[in-house]
Amino acid sequence: MTAQSTTHAMKDRPIAVFDSGVGGISVLKHIHALLPFEQLLYVADSKYAPYGNKTPAEIQARCFEIADFLIAKDAKVIVVACNTATAAAIDAMRAKYTLPNHIPIIGMEPAVKPAAEASKNGIIGVLATTGTLKSAQFAGLLESYGRNVKVVTQACVGLVECIERGEIAAENTLRLVEQYCRPLLDAGADTIVLGCTHYPFARALIEQVVGSDVTLIDTGAAVAKHLQQRLLALDLLSDNNQLTQVQFWTNSEANDAKQVISQLWGQSAEISIL
Ligand code: DGL
């Protein structure tokens, strides 16, 4: 193989994305829109969802198993499309994969900084999982960007499970959204961070509850942009100019697992059971 073809082969390897379940598909959509010619792999670790109530050690073990699978599929980069997993495992993943194997690991965190900048009245709300809100990484975010604003946090127990079942417009999902948004509205938040990748799928319900005066902030587009910049800097953007189908894997035991992925992805997809 010539040096030239080695380079092409490197660039044309897939971008791998994973989450505790189907939530990261909200990030995958932004990646696909920005980088339509990149080959994309997605793993939904739905059998082990939610991560939000697991220990960091349990989450790290899941992340390692999935990353090993994705690296065996020749991933050139891994996107942890999960705030909870990023908080629990990003350092361990970088130590295990980036340093020895040169696989960049892109993580994500609740958009406290953009929310603090966007807020007009200085009161922001953060909807996230218990794990994210309890993490040292989130404490660091508040320390860095939350000093000049009031930050009201709310763990949304049970909401991830609704999205995992594809219940994005259901009455029970709406009731949970009302329960979790109420304290943020009562505190006067004018900006709310969707600090879990499952929540953008409940965006219509959240908008219905909080109204149009409250700004909702989702990090999916920023993650896609950051990924593009990292690949550009590493000269790893694909030279391909043909659309490819995304490959999904799920370990969900639900009968309708494939249907839920198709519903949330909204395009044709190749879905396998892990
Ligand atoms: N989608 C996830 C996140 O961004 C994890 C949700 C969960 O499994 O609890 O935090």
Side-chain angles (χ1 to χ4, degrees):
M1 200 184 269
T2 65
Q4 179 81 8
S5 65
T6 308
T7 309
H8 281 297
M10 293 282 286
K11 291 177 170 193
D12 288 340
R13 288 155 60 206
I15 293 171
V17 182
F18 79 93
D19 176 43
S20 64
V22 294
I25 295 173
S26 67
V27 180
L28 190 73
K29 284 184 172 185
H30 287 283
I31 294 173
H32 188 58
L34 189 66
L35 302 169
F37 304 128
E38 293 283 344
Q39 207 191 315
L40 301 178
L41 313 179
Y42 184 91
V43 170
D45 196 24
S46 295
K47 185 175 169 186
Y48 296 89
Y51 281 0
N53 55 10
K54 293 194 165 46
T55 64
E58 287 171 326
I59 298 171
Q60 272 177 31
R62 293 307 312 145
C63 291
F64 287 168
E65 191 172 318
I66 297 164
D68 287 342
F69 172 81
L70 292 168
I71 288 169
K73 297 276 175 216
D74 214 19
K76 64 181 170 187
V77 58
I78 295 178
V79 180
V80 184
C82 176
N83 297 266
T84 314
T86 298
I90 198 91
D91 292 342
M93 289 185 77
R94 287 186 176 137
K96 189 167 156 91
Y97 302 106
T98 308
L99 298 176
N101 301 326
H102 306 288
I103 309 280
I105 312 282
I106 310 279
M108 58 192 297
E109 56 193 15
V112 172
K113 185 178 181 222
E117 287 165 0
S119 175
K120 293 197 174 71
N121 69 1
I123 307 171
I124 70 169
V126 180
L127 300 172
T129 69
T130 310
T132 297
L133 296 176
K134 277 200 320 205
S135 68
Q137 212 190 36
F138 187 69
L141 267 183
L142 293 186
E143 184 71 17
S144 305
Y145 307 113
R147 278 170 178 264
N148 300 320
V149 286
K150 180 175 172 192
V151 183
V152 190
T153 63
Q154 177 64 54
C156 303
V157 178
L159 193 51
V160 162
E161 289 88 330
C162 293
I163 308 300
E164 285 291 309
R165 291 190 296 267
E167 295 167 356
I168 58 172
E171 191 57 38
N172 59 315
T173 312
L174 177 63
R175 276 198 298 274
L176 280 183
V177 167
E178 278 167 347
Q179 180 189 335
Y180 295 137
C181 290
R182 182 50 48 205
L184 309 186
L185 295 176
D186 289 347
D190 71 350
T191 307
I192 294 179
V193 176
L194 305 181
C196 166
T197 54
H198 283 73
Y199 304 165
F201 288 116
R203 189 178 183 118
L205 296 185
I206 297 172
E207 278 172 351
Q208 184 181 328
V209 170
V210 304
S212 53
D213 291 344
V214 173
T215 305
L216 298 181
I217 302 202
D218 163 18
T219 19
V223 171
K225 188 88 204 142
H226 177 64
L227 170 67
Q228 183 189 41
Q229 284 163 353
R230 278 295 294 279
L231 292 178
L232 185 65
L234 294 167
D235 196 21
L236 279 178
L237 279 173
S238 174
D239 293 327
N240 182 23
N241 57 7
Q242 296 199 344
L243 287 172
T244 55
Q245 222 184 26
V246 181
Q247 276 180 279
F248 290 87
W249 287 268
T250 175
N251 53 14
S252 168
E253 285 162 347
N255 290 334
D256 61 351
K258 289 187 178 183
Q259 225 172 294
V260 172
I261 289 177
S262 300
Q263 174 200 351
L264 299 181
W265 178 237
Q267 307 181 25
S268 69
E270 196 184 313
I271 309 168
S272 311
I273 302 291
L274 263 183

